[in-house]
Amino acid sequence: VQLVESGGGSVQPGGSLNLSCAASGDVDNGLWMAWFRQGPGKEREGVAFMSRGGTRHYADSVKGRFTISRGKDKTAMHLEMNSLEPEDTAMYYCAADETFGGHWPPREDDFAYWGRGTQVTVS
C-alpha cells in the first residue's frame, strides 16, 4: 500500500487548508485510514480518523475546527482544516492499516503504512 499526501502549505492564523491522502496498491481488503501530525520538538500524535461505520474521532485540540472525510471508493481521505492556529504547525501524515480496530487515541504502531507527510505552517 502506498500513501501520498497533498494540500499542505503556509497560511496565516485563522486560515484554512485541505489535505488529501490517496492510497494505492493492495487496497481491495479495505483500510483504516488516519491523520497524524508531528510538530517541531513534539511526538507524533493522532489527529483524526473515521471508523468504517462513519464515526469520526478527533484530537481534542482540533475538535470543531477540523473535519475528516473519506472518498466513496475508500481509497482517498481528506482533512478540512479551518481556524488554523500556530499550534497546528506540523508535518501531517496519512496512515493506513488493515486491522487497526478503531480505538482512540491511535498509536503509531497501530498503522503499517505511512505517507511521507505534507507540511502545514501557520504563522
Side-chain angles (χ1 to χ4, degrees):
V1 175
Q2 294 79 44
L3 303 173
V4 179
E5 303 97 337
S6 61
S10 296
V11 296
Q12 295 182 342
S16 299
L17 284 172
N18 291 304
L19 305 184
S20 293
C21 174
S24 61
D26 188 7
V27 298
D28 290 343
N29 291 328
L31 294 171
W32 290 88
M33 297 179 74
W35 288 102
F36 283 75
R37 68 183 181 185
Q38 187 166 15
K42 298 180 180 179
E43 295 185 353
R44 194 170 297 188
E45 63 174 351
V47 176
F49 74 84
M50 198 163 97
S51 72
R52 291 176 173 172
T55 303
R56 293 169 169 82
H57 302 262
Y58 299 98
D60 287 344
S61 59
V62 308
K63 281 181 181 176
R65 301 187 297 120
F66 290 12
T67 302
I68 189 172
S69 61
R70 296 284 298 268
K72 289 183 179 180
D73 63 359
K74 306 300 183 185
T75 61
M77 178 176 65
H78 309 282
L79 187 68
E80 179 183 348
M81 306 187 296
N82 297 310
S83 302
L84 283 161
E85 303 168 352
E87 293 73 24
D88 296 317
T89 294
M91 185 73 79
Y92 283 71
Y93 297 92
C94 174
D97 195 81
E98 292 94 342
T99 62
F100 164 48
H103 56 262
W104 186 270
R107 301 182 304 267
E108 281 190 71
D109 58 8
D110 288 327
F111 293 85
Y113 310 108
W114 290 84
R116 292 187 176 184
T118 185
Q119 178 68 38
V120 170
T121 302
V122 185
S123 65

